[in-house]
Amino acid sequence: MMLLKSHLLSVFLASLSFNFDTLYAQTDDELAMMKKMCACASKHNLCNKVCPEIRQALQNKDDEECKDYADQAFGCGGAFSSTEQYKKLCPSLGVPCTTFQNMCACASKHNLCDKKCKALFKIEDPECQAYGVEGICSGFPDKTYVKACPKLNMPCTNSQKMCACANKHKLCGKKCIALFDTDDDECNNYAGKGICGGEFPSDVKYQDHCKTKGVHMKCKKGKCKDKKRWTIKLSYGEEGSCEWVKEDPSERCNDDEGENGKSAMKMCKLSCNTC
């Protein structure tokens, strides 16, 4: 069973129609590290472990390949977080780790995102069908893949994958077409499929649309937001905040300087739509 799982994972990673490698990997070394260590974690059911624990656990396994790689100082705390479990870390790199995450990747591959668990076992794909062990669907969320998979840290639909791209490139405060400006062929490809204005609204920010798709947006630096502590003195002696600006942005989004010499246009970007 262990050998079967290892073989299926290696074949599966190589055959995904959604190229996780180009979506997340930064260098060839990190890509190799990602594939090998996430595959080892998945193979040995170590997805609930963190990097230092996995390195130690592999030393007790009868798997010379994984042990040898773990001995090559692959960088806990560097490319791999020392504190995040692999079931969260590997999907953030684009690689499924748990069985359920692999099922989500299969559902995406075969356009089954609007289906529930058992639909996966009716397709002609031995690698994906192999996850259909008896009783597995009793543990899988009783929802369609499109609803269940984001909570398992795996995108399923193209829109959800675009949200993953926006997370990666810190575009949370931008709109759909912003993916065209990234140096990332895979992400450019989604924007180039005519999805903007169709499946993905062209006039809505990622941070607003992606939450309706069940995707948590993590990019704090790219988030479009108002500065909560910014204020400006008003003519009648009181102070106005970005909430005040929001009430009448056409008049109040201007270059008048408030606290620290900053204007509403610069400090109330969400209210003024200047992200």
Side-chain angles (χ1 to χ4, degrees), residues 62-100:
D62 185 19
D63 187 330
E64 294 304 318
E65 184 177 2
C66 285
K67 286 196 292 187
D68 288 346
Y69 194 73
D71 286 337
Q72 293 176 20
F74 57 86
C76 292
F80 281 86
S81 167
S82 294
T83 59
E84 193 166 23
Q85 294 176 329
Y86 267 47
K87 66 181 180 182
K88 292 184 178 180
L89 180 60
C90 291
S92 74
L93 298 171
V95 180
C97 188
T98 68
T99 297
F100 286 171

PDB file of all heavy atoms in Angstrom, residues 62-100:
ATOM      1  N   ASP A  62      11.788   3.028   6.934  1.00  0.00           N
ATOM      2  CA  ASP A  62      12.540   2.171   6.029  1.00  0.00           C
ATOM      3  C   ASP A  62      12.429   2.729   4.612  1.00  0.00           C
ATOM      4  O   ASP A  62      11.786   2.154   3.732  1.00  0.00           O
ATOM      5  CB  ASP A  62      11.987   0.740   6.094  1.00  0.00           C
ATOM      6  CG  ASP A  62      12.819  -0.222   5.246  1.00  0.00           C
ATOM      7  OD1 ASP A  62      13.966   0.133   4.929  1.00  0.00           O
ATOM      8  OD2 ASP A  62      12.305  -1.307   4.894  1.00  0.00           O
ATOM      9  N   ASP A  63      13.023   3.885   4.424  1.00  0.00           N
ATOM     10  CA  ASP A  63      12.926   4.589   3.152  1.00  0.00           C
ATOM     11  C   ASP A  63      14.224   5.384   2.970  1.00  0.00           C
ATOM     12  O   ASP A  63      14.349   6.520   3.418  1.00  0.00           O
ATOM     13  CB  ASP A  63      11.715   5.525   3.157  1.00  0.00           C
ATOM     14  CG  ASP A  63      11.469   6.164   1.787  1.00  0.00           C
ATOM     15  OD1 ASP A  63      12.440   6.371   1.045  1.00  0.00           O
ATOM     16  OD2 ASP A  63      10.294   6.455   1.480  1.00  0.00           O
ATOM     17  N   GLU A  64      15.185   4.750   2.328  1.00  0.00           N
ATOM     18  CA  GLU A  64      16.498   5.359   2.210  1.00  0.00           C
ATOM     19  C   GLU A  64      16.474   6.650   1.405  1.00  0.00           C
ATOM     20  O   GLU A  64      17.209   7.590   1.685  1.00  0.00           O
ATOM     21  CB  GLU A  64      17.477   4.359   1.576  1.00  0.00           C
ATOM     22  CG  GLU A  64      17.757   3.133   2.432  1.00  0.00           C
ATOM     23  CD  GLU A  64      18.272   3.516   3.805  1.00  0.00           C
ATOM     24  OE1 GLU A  64      19.125   4.434   3.889  1.00  0.00           O
ATOM     25  OE2 GLU A  64      17.846   2.898   4.799  1.00  0.00           O
ATOM     26  N   GLU A  65      15.615   6.706   0.378  1.00  0.00           N
ATOM     27  CA  GLU A  65      15.558   7.911  -0.455  1.00  0.00           C
ATOM     28  C   GLU A  65      15.118   9.116   0.355  1.00  0.00           C
ATOM     29  O   GLU A  65      15.745  10.178   0.297  1.00  0.00           O
ATOM     30  CB  GLU A  65      14.614   7.694  -1.637  1.00  0.00           C
ATOM     31  CG  GLU A  65      14.576   8.879  -2.599  1.00  0.00           C
ATOM     32  CD  GLU A  65      13.683   8.620  -3.797  1.00  0.00           C
ATOM     33  OE1 GLU A  65      13.062   7.543  -3.862  1.00  0.00           O
ATOM     34  OE2 GLU A  65      13.602   9.508  -4.665  1.00  0.00           O
ATOM     35  N   CYS A  66      14.026   8.968   1.109  1.00  0.00           N
ATOM     36  CA  CYS A  66      13.539  10.085   1.922  1.00  0.00           C
ATOM     37  C   CYS A  66      14.526  10.432   3.023  1.00  0.00           C
ATOM     38  O   CYS A  66      14.754  11.605   3.324  1.00  0.00           O
ATOM     39  CB  CYS A  66      12.172   9.748   2.516  1.00  0.00           C
ATOM     40  SG  CYS A  66      10.811   9.831   1.321  1.00  0.00           S
ATOM     41  N   LYS A  67      15.127   9.404   3.641  1.00  0.00           N
ATOM     42  CA  LYS A  67      16.097   9.668   4.707  1.00  0.00           C
ATOM     43  C   LYS A  67      17.323  10.401   4.172  1.00  0.00           C
ATOM     44  O   LYS A  67      17.818  11.341   4.789  1.00  0.00           O
ATOM     45  CB  LYS A  67      16.514   8.356   5.378  1.00  0.00           C
ATOM     46  CG  LYS A  67      15.462   7.767   6.294  1.00  0.00           C
ATOM     47  CD  LYS A  67      16.020   6.708   7.221  1.00  0.00           C
ATOM     48  CE  LYS A  67      16.438   5.470   6.470  1.00  0.00           C
ATOM     49  NZ  LYS A  67      16.832   4.376   7.406  1.00  0.00           N
ATOM     50  N   ASP A  68      17.807   9.966   3.016  1.00  0.00           N
ATOM     51  CA  ASP A  68      18.975  10.619   2.434  1.00  0.00           C
ATOM     52  C   ASP A  68      18.683  12.072   2.112  1.00  0.00           C
ATOM     53  O   ASP A  68      19.516  12.952   2.348  1.00  0.00           O
ATOM     54  CB  ASP A  68      19.402   9.894   1.146  1.00  0.00           C
ATOM     55  CG  ASP A  68      20.039   8.544   1.423  1.00  0.00           C
ATOM     56  OD1 ASP A  68      20.386   8.290   2.588  1.00  0.00           O
ATOM     57  OD2 ASP A  68      20.175   7.757   0.464  1.00  0.00           O
ATOM     58  N   TYR A  69      17.493  12.332   1.588  1.00  0.00           N
ATOM     59  CA  TYR A  69      17.173  13.719   1.248  1.00  0.00           C
ATOM     60  C   TYR A  69      17.024  14.569   2.504  1.00  0.00           C
ATOM     61  O   TYR A  69      17.438  15.728   2.541  1.00  0.00           O
ATOM     62  CB  TYR A  69      15.898  13.791   0.402  1.00  0.00           C
ATOM     63  CG  TYR A  69      15.752  15.159  -0.227  1.00  0.00           C
ATOM     64  CD1 TYR A  69      16.565  15.527  -1.288  1.00  0.00           C
ATOM     65  CD2 TYR A  69      14.847  16.090   0.279  1.00  0.00           C
ATOM     66  CE1 TYR A  69      16.482  16.786  -1.840  1.00  0.00           C
ATOM     67  CE2 TYR A  69      14.750  17.353  -0.284  1.00  0.00           C
ATOM     68  CZ  TYR A  69      15.569  17.689  -1.345  1.00  0.00           C
ATOM     69  OH  TYR A  69      15.477  18.942  -1.878  1.00  0.00           O
ATOM     70  N   ALA A  70      16.436  13.988   3.547  1.00  0.00           N
ATOM     71  CA  ALA A  70      16.268  14.727   4.800  1.00  0.00           C
ATOM     72  C   ALA A  70      17.611  15.077   5.420  1.00  0.00           C
ATOM     73  O   ALA A  70      17.729  16.056   6.161  1.00  0.00           O
ATOM     74  CB  ALA A  70      15.440  13.912   5.783  1.00  0.00           C
ATOM     75  N   ASP A  71      18.639  14.299   5.107  1.00  0.00           N
ATOM     76  CA  ASP A  71      19.976  14.547   5.661  1.00  0.00           C
ATOM     77  C   ASP A  71      20.741  15.626   4.894  1.00  0.00           C
ATOM     78  O   ASP A  71      21.838  16.005   5.280  1.00  0.00           O
ATOM     79  CB  ASP A  71      20.800  13.258   5.630  1.00  0.00           C
ATOM     80  CG  ASP A  71      20.357  12.277   6.701  1.00  0.00           C
ATOM     81  OD1 ASP A  71      19.765  12.729   7.707  1.00  0.00           O
ATOM     82  OD2 ASP A  71      20.593  11.062   6.523  1.00  0.00           O
ATOM     83  N   GLN A  72      20.154  16.106   3.806  1.00  0.00           N
ATOM     84  CA  GLN A  72      20.874  17.052   2.955  1.00  0.00           C
ATOM     85  C   GLN A  72      20.629  18.504   3.344  1.00  0.00           C
ATOM     86  O   GLN A  72      20.728  19.399   2.515  1.00  0.00           O
ATOM     87  CB  GLN A  72      20.490  16.822   1.485  1.00  0.00           C
ATOM     88  CG  GLN A  72      20.979  15.491   0.943  1.00  0.00           C
ATOM     89  CD  GLN A  72      20.511  15.235  -0.475  1.00  0.00           C
ATOM     90  OE1 GLN A  72      20.152  16.174  -1.182  1.00  0.00           O
ATOM     91  NE2 GLN A  72      20.492  13.978  -0.888  1.00  0.00           N
ATOM     92  N   ALA A  73      20.292  18.724   4.612  1.00  0.00           N
ATOM     93  CA  ALA A  73      20.116  20.095   5.130  1.00  0.00           C
ATOM     94  C   ALA A  73      19.201  20.902   4.229  1.00  0.00           C
ATOM     95  O   ALA A  73      19.557  21.936   3.686  1.00  0.00           O
ATOM     96  CB  ALA A  73      21.467  20.788   5.270  1.00  0.00           C
ATOM     97  N   PHE A  74      17.940  20.403   4.086  1.00  0.00           N
ATOM     98  CA  PHE A  74      17.045  21.028   3.128  1.00  0.00           C
ATOM     99  C   PHE A  74      16.428  22.332   3.616  1.00  0.00           C
ATOM    100  O   PHE A  74      15.675  22.960   2.908  1.00  0.00           O
ATOM    101  CB  PHE A  74      15.931  20.059   2.712  1.00  0.00           C
ATOM    102  CG  PHE A  74      15.111  19.540   3.866  1.00  0.00           C
ATOM    103  CD1 PHE A  74      14.031  20.253   4.341  1.00  0.00           C
ATOM    104  CD2 PHE A  74      15.437  18.334   4.459  1.00  0.00           C
ATOM    105  CE1 PHE A  74      13.278  19.768   5.386  1.00  0.00           C
ATOM    106  CE2 PHE A  74      14.680  17.850   5.506  1.00  0.00           C
ATOM    107  CZ  PHE A  74      13.594  18.560   5.977  1.00  0.00           C
ATOM    108  N   GLY A  75      16.704  22.769   4.818  1.00  0.00           N
ATOM    109  CA  GLY A  75      16.373  24.135   5.174  1.00  0.00           C
ATOM    110  C   GLY A  75      15.119  24.376   5.974  1.00  0.00           C
ATOM    111  O   GLY A  75      14.291  25.194   5.579  1.00  0.00           O
ATOM    112  N   CYS A  76      14.928  23.686   7.094  1.00  0.00           N
ATOM    113  CA  CYS A  76      13.827  24.049   7.985  1.00  0.00           C
ATOM    114  C   CYS A  76      14.051  25.485   8.450  1.00  0.00           C
ATOM    115  O   CYS A  76      15.136  25.836   8.920  1.00  0.00           O
ATOM    116  CB  CYS A  76      13.771  23.113   9.193  1.00  0.00           C
ATOM    117  SG  CYS A  76      13.305  21.425   8.796  1.00  0.00           S
ATOM    118  N   GLY A  77      13.017  26.303   8.322  1.00  0.00           N
ATOM    119  CA  GLY A  77      13.156  27.713   8.665  1.00  0.00           C
ATOM    120  C   GLY A  77      13.576  28.554   7.484  1.00  0.00           C
ATOM    121  O   GLY A  77      13.545  29.778   7.554  1.00  0.00           O
ATOM    122  N   GLY A  78      13.956  27.907   6.384  1.00  0.00           N
ATOM    123  CA  GLY A  78      14.294  28.619   5.166  1.00  0.00           C
ATOM    124  C   GLY A  78      13.144  28.521   4.193  1.00  0.00           C
ATOM    125  O   GLY A  78      12.110  29.164   4.349  1.00  0.00           O
ATOM    126  N   ALA A  79      13.316  27.675   3.167  1.00  0.00           N
ATOM    127  CA  ALA A  79      12.233  27.473   2.212  1.00  0.00           C
ATOM    128  C   ALA A  79      11.028  26.821   2.879  1.00  0.00           C
ATOM    129  O   ALA A  79       9.892  27.056   2.497  1.00  0.00           O
ATOM    130  CB  ALA A  79      12.718  26.617   1.044  1.00  0.00           C
ATOM    131  N   PHE A  80      11.302  25.999   3.883  1.00  0.00           N
ATOM    132  CA  PHE A  80      10.226  25.346   4.608  1.00  0.00           C
ATOM    133  C   PHE A  80      10.099  25.942   6.009  1.00  0.00           C
ATOM    134  O   PHE A  80      11.068  26.020   6.752  1.00  0.00           O
ATOM    135  CB  PHE A  80      10.484  23.842   4.730  1.00  0.00           C
ATOM    136  CG  PHE A  80      10.157  23.067   3.498  1.00  0.00           C
ATOM    137  CD1 PHE A  80      11.096  22.925   2.491  1.00  0.00           C
ATOM    138  CD2 PHE A  80       8.919  22.497   3.334  1.00  0.00           C
ATOM    139  CE1 PHE A  80      10.803  22.213   1.346  1.00  0.00           C
ATOM    140  CE2 PHE A  80       8.625  21.782   2.191  1.00  0.00           C
ATOM    141  CZ  PHE A  80       9.572  21.640   1.190  1.00  0.00           C
ATOM    142  N   SER A  81       8.889  26.336   6.355  1.00  0.00           N
ATOM    143  CA  SER A  81       8.630  26.870   7.687  1.00  0.00           C
ATOM    144  C   SER A  81       8.936  25.820   8.751  1.00  0.00           C
ATOM    145  O   SER A  81       8.710  24.627   8.555  1.00  0.00           O
ATOM    146  CB  SER A  81       7.157  27.286   7.789  1.00  0.00           C
ATOM    147  OG  SER A  81       6.795  27.528   9.126  1.00  0.00           O
ATOM    148  N   SER A  82       9.436  26.273   9.887  1.00  0.00           N
ATOM    149  CA  SER A  82       9.705  25.371  11.007  1.00  0.00           C
ATOM    150  C   SER A  82       8.496  25.204  11.901  1.00  0.00           C
ATOM    151  O   SER A  82       8.511  24.373  12.813  1.00  0.00           O
ATOM    152  CB  SER A  82      10.884  25.903  11.842  1.00  0.00           C
ATOM    153  OG  SER A  82      12.079  25.860  11.098  1.00  0.00           O
ATOM    154  N   THR A  83       7.455  25.979  11.674  1.00  0.00           N
ATOM    155  CA  THR A  83       6.315  25.982  12.590  1.00  0.00           C
ATOM    156  C   THR A  83       4.991  25.588  11.949  1.00  0.00           C
ATOM    157  O   THR A  83       4.008  25.368  12.649  1.00  0.00           O
ATOM    158  CB  THR A  83       6.146  27.378  13.217  1.00  0.00           C
ATOM    159  OG1 THR A  83       5.943  28.350  12.178  1.00  0.00           O
ATOM    160  CG2 THR A  83       7.383  27.759  14.015  1.00  0.00           C
ATOM    161  N   GLU A  84       4.950  25.479  10.620  1.00  0.00           N
ATOM    162  CA  GLU A  84       3.687  25.197   9.945  1.00  0.00           C
ATOM    163  C   GLU A  84       3.616  23.739   9.514  1.00  0.00           C
ATOM    164  O   GLU A  84       4.563  23.198   8.950  1.00  0.00           O
ATOM    165  CB  GLU A  84       3.514  26.099   8.721  1.00  0.00           C
ATOM    166  CG  GLU A  84       2.115  26.098   8.155  1.00  0.00           C
ATOM    167  CD  GLU A  84       1.880  27.235   7.180  1.00  0.00           C
ATOM    168  OE1 GLU A  84       2.854  27.751   6.601  1.00  0.00           O
ATOM    169  OE2 GLU A  84       0.716  27.632   7.002  1.00  0.00           O
ATOM    170  N   GLN A  85       2.487  23.094   9.796  1.00  0.00           N
ATOM    171  CA  GLN A  85       2.308  21.702   9.424  1.00  0.00           C
ATOM    172  C   GLN A  85       2.344  21.544   7.906  1.00  0.00           C
ATOM    173  O   GLN A  85       1.920  22.421   7.165  1.00  0.00           O
ATOM    174  CB  GLN A  85       0.975  21.174   9.967  1.00  0.00           C
ATOM    175  CG  GLN A  85       0.906  21.104  11.481  1.00  0.00           C
ATOM    176  CD  GLN A  85      -0.477  20.667  11.961  1.00  0.00           C
ATOM    177  OE1 GLN A  85      -1.492  20.940  11.326  1.00  0.00           O
ATOM    178  NE2 GLN A  85      -0.509  19.992  13.094  1.00  0.00           N
ATOM    179  N   TYR A  86       2.815  20.391   7.450  1.00  0.00           N
ATOM    180  CA  TYR A  86       2.924  20.164   6.014  1.00  0.00           C
ATOM    181  C   TYR A  86       1.566  20.160   5.318  1.00  0.00           C
ATOM    182  O   TYR A  86       1.481  20.475   4.134  1.00  0.00           O
ATOM    183  CB  TYR A  86       3.653  18.847   5.754  1.00  0.00           C
ATOM    184  CG  TYR A  86       5.152  19.026   5.576  1.00  0.00           C
ATOM    185  CD1 TYR A  86       5.893  19.807   6.464  1.00  0.00           C
ATOM    186  CD2 TYR A  86       5.826  18.429   4.534  1.00  0.00           C
ATOM    187  CE1 TYR A  86       7.247  19.972   6.306  1.00  0.00           C
ATOM    188  CE2 TYR A  86       7.185  18.585   4.359  1.00  0.00           C
ATOM    189  CZ  TYR A  86       7.904  19.368   5.262  1.00  0.00           C
ATOM    190  OH  TYR A  86       9.257  19.539   5.096  1.00  0.00           O
ATOM    191  N   LYS A  87       0.497  19.815   6.010  1.00  0.00           N
ATOM    192  CA  LYS A  87      -0.822  19.832   5.378  1.00  0.00           C
ATOM    193  C   LYS A  87      -1.247  21.254   5.036  1.00  0.00           C
ATOM    194  O   LYS A  87      -2.136  21.452   4.192  1.00  0.00           O
ATOM    195  CB  LYS A  87      -1.866  19.167   6.271  1.00  0.00           C
ATOM    196  CG  LYS A  87      -2.172  19.875   7.572  1.00  0.00           C
ATOM    197  CD  LYS A  87      -3.197  19.101   8.369  1.00  0.00           C
ATOM    198  CE  LYS A  87      -3.534  19.788   9.690  1.00  0.00           C
ATOM    199  NZ  LYS A  87      -4.506  19.004  10.486  1.00  0.00           N
ATOM    200  N   LYS A  88      -0.615  22.244   5.644  1.00  0.00           N
ATOM    201  CA  LYS A  88      -0.838  23.637   5.281  1.00  0.00           C
ATOM    202  C   LYS A  88       0.296  24.162   4.407  1.00  0.00           C
ATOM    203  O   LYS A  88       0.072  24.935   3.483  1.00  0.00           O
ATOM    204  CB  LYS A  88      -0.969  24.494   6.540  1.00  0.00           C
ATOM    205  CG  LYS A  88      -2.210  24.220   7.361  1.00  0.00           C
ATOM    206  CD  LYS A  88      -2.314  25.185   8.532  1.00  0.00           C
ATOM    207  CE  LYS A  88      -3.587  24.946   9.335  1.00  0.00           C
ATOM    208  NZ  LYS A  88      -3.704  25.876  10.482  1.00  0.00           N
ATOM    209  N   LEU A  89       1.508  23.742   4.727  1.00  0.00           N
ATOM    210  CA  LEU A  89       2.675  24.249   4.025  1.00  0.00           C
ATOM    211  C   LEU A  89       2.731  23.764   2.571  1.00  0.00           C
ATOM    212  O   LEU A  89       2.941  24.559   1.655  1.00  0.00           O
ATOM    213  CB  LEU A  89       3.941  23.820   4.764  1.00  0.00           C
ATOM    214  CG  LEU A  89       5.275  24.271   4.164  1.00  0.00           C
ATOM    215  CD1 LEU A  89       5.338  25.791   4.103  1.00  0.00           C
ATOM    216  CD2 LEU A  89       6.434  23.727   4.984  1.00  0.00           C
ATOM    217  N   CYS A  90       2.516  22.479   2.352  1.00  0.00           N
ATOM    218  CA  CYS A  90       2.632  21.939   0.988  1.00  0.00           C
ATOM    219  C   CYS A  90       1.604  22.540   0.028  1.00  0.00           C
ATOM    220  O   CYS A  90       1.960  22.912  -1.093  1.00  0.00           O
ATOM    221  CB  CYS A  90       2.557  20.417   1.015  1.00  0.00           C
ATOM    222  SG  CYS A  90       4.014  19.659   1.798  1.00  0.00           S
ATOM    223  N   PRO A  91       0.317  22.651   0.420  1.00  0.00           N
ATOM    224  CA  PRO A  91      -0.630  23.307  -0.481  1.00  0.00           C
ATOM    225  C   PRO A  91      -0.255  24.758  -0.781  1.00  0.00           C
ATOM    226  O   PRO A  91      -0.512  25.251  -1.875  1.00  0.00           O
ATOM    227  CB  PRO A  91      -1.959  23.222   0.282  1.00  0.00           C
ATOM    228  CG  PRO A  91      -1.809  22.011   1.127  1.00  0.00           C
ATOM    229  CD  PRO A  91      -0.367  22.039   1.569  1.00  0.00           C
ATOM    230  N   SER A  92       0.361  25.453   0.189  1.00  0.00           N
ATOM    231  CA  SER A  92       0.760  26.838  -0.068  1.00  0.00           C
ATOM    232  C   SER A  92       1.858  26.890  -1.126  1.00  0.00           C
ATOM    233  O   SER A  92       2.067  27.917  -1.768  1.00  0.00           O
ATOM    234  CB  SER A  92       1.241  27.514   1.224  1.00  0.00           C
ATOM    235  OG  SER A  92       2.532  27.051   1.598  1.00  0.00           O
ATOM    236  N   LEU A  93       2.566  25.775  -1.312  1.00  0.00           N
ATOM    237  CA  LEU A  93       3.562  25.656  -2.369  1.00  0.00           C
ATOM    238  C   LEU A  93       2.968  25.061  -3.637  1.00  0.00           C
ATOM    239  O   LEU A  93       3.634  24.927  -4.648  1.00  0.00           O
ATOM    240  CB  LEU A  93       4.723  24.769  -1.901  1.00  0.00           C
ATOM    241  CG  LEU A  93       5.515  25.274  -0.699  1.00  0.00           C
ATOM    242  CD1 LEU A  93       6.464  24.202  -0.217  1.00  0.00           C
ATOM    243  CD2 LEU A  93       6.261  26.547  -1.043  1.00  0.00           C
ATOM    244  N   GLY A  94       1.700  24.667  -3.551  1.00  0.00           N
ATOM    245  CA  GLY A  94       1.024  24.119  -4.712  1.00  0.00           C
ATOM    246  C   GLY A  94       0.989  22.607  -4.771  1.00  0.00           C
ATOM    247  O   GLY A  94       0.614  22.041  -5.794  1.00  0.00           O
ATOM    248  N   VAL A  95       1.392  21.926  -3.705  1.00  0.00           N
ATOM    249  CA  VAL A  95       1.479  20.478  -3.719  1.00  0.00           C
ATOM    250  C   VAL A  95       0.536  19.881  -2.675  1.00  0.00           C
ATOM    251  O   VAL A  95       0.592  20.245  -1.505  1.00  0.00           O
ATOM    252  CB  VAL A  95       2.915  20.012  -3.418  1.00  0.00           C
ATOM    253  CG1 VAL A  95       3.007  18.492  -3.435  1.00  0.00           C
ATOM    254  CG2 VAL A  95       3.875  20.603  -4.437  1.00  0.00           C
ATOM    255  N   PRO A  96      -0.340  18.948  -3.073  1.00  0.00           N
ATOM    256  CA  PRO A  96      -1.199  18.294  -2.092  1.00  0.00           C
ATOM    257  C   PRO A  96      -0.392  17.381  -1.182  1.00  0.00           C
ATOM    258  O   PRO A  96       0.604  16.798  -1.614  1.00  0.00           O
ATOM    259  CB  PRO A  96      -2.181  17.494  -2.953  1.00  0.00           C
ATOM    260  CG  PRO A  96      -1.456  17.243  -4.234  1.00  0.00           C
ATOM    261  CD  PRO A  96      -0.570  18.440  -4.444  1.00  0.00           C
ATOM    262  N   CYS A  97      -0.824  17.239   0.048  1.00  0.00           N
ATOM    263  CA  CYS A  97      -0.132  16.350   0.986  1.00  0.00           C
ATOM    264  C   CYS A  97      -1.075  15.260   1.483  1.00  0.00           C
ATOM    265  O   CYS A  97      -0.811  14.081   1.310  1.00  0.00           O
ATOM    266  CB  CYS A  97       0.436  17.149   2.167  1.00  0.00           C
ATOM    267  SG  CYS A  97       1.503  16.155   3.259  1.00  0.00           S
ATOM    268  N   THR A  98      -2.191  15.643   2.098  1.00  0.00           N
ATOM    269  CA  THR A  98      -3.112  14.654   2.644  1.00  0.00           C
ATOM    270  C   THR A  98      -3.893  13.970   1.522  1.00  0.00           C
ATOM    271  O   THR A  98      -3.943  14.447   0.387  1.00  0.00           O
ATOM    272  CB  THR A  98      -4.119  15.306   3.610  1.00  0.00           C
ATOM    273  OG1 THR A  98      -5.000  16.155   2.859  1.00  0.00           O
ATOM    274  CG2 THR A  98      -3.409  16.126   4.676  1.00  0.00           C
ATOM    275  N   THR A  99      -4.519  12.861   1.864  1.00  0.00           N
ATOM    276  CA  THR A  99      -5.347  12.153   0.886  1.00  0.00           C
ATOM    277  C   THR A  99      -6.467  13.044   0.374  1.00  0.00           C
ATOM    278  O   THR A  99      -6.748  13.086  -0.832  1.00  0.00           O
ATOM    279  CB  THR A  99      -5.947  10.886   1.519  1.00  0.00           C
ATOM    280  OG1 THR A  99      -4.883   9.998   1.880  1.00  0.00           O
ATOM    281  CG2 THR A  99      -6.878  10.166   0.548  1.00  0.00           C
ATOM    282  N   PHE A 100      -7.104  13.781   1.272  1.00  0.00           N
ATOM    283  CA  PHE A 100      -8.201  14.656   0.865  1.00  0.00           C
ATOM    284  C   PHE A 100      -7.709  15.756  -0.072  1.00  0.00           C
ATOM    285  O   PHE A 100      -8.393  16.140  -1.023  1.00  0.00           O
ATOM    286  CB  PHE A 100      -8.882  15.270   2.085  1.00  0.00           C
ATOM    287  CG  PHE A 100      -9.746  14.317   2.859  1.00  0.00           C
ATOM    288  CD1 PHE A 100     -10.284  14.681   4.083  1.00  0.00           C
ATOM    289  CD2 PHE A 100     -10.035  13.051   2.364  1.00  0.00           C
ATOM    290  CE1 PHE A 100     -11.087  13.803   4.801  1.00  0.00           C
ATOM    291  CE2 PHE A 100     -10.835  12.170   3.070  1.00  0.00           C
ATOM    292  CZ  PHE A 100     -11.364  12.545   4.291  1.00  0.00           C
TER     293      PHE A 100
END
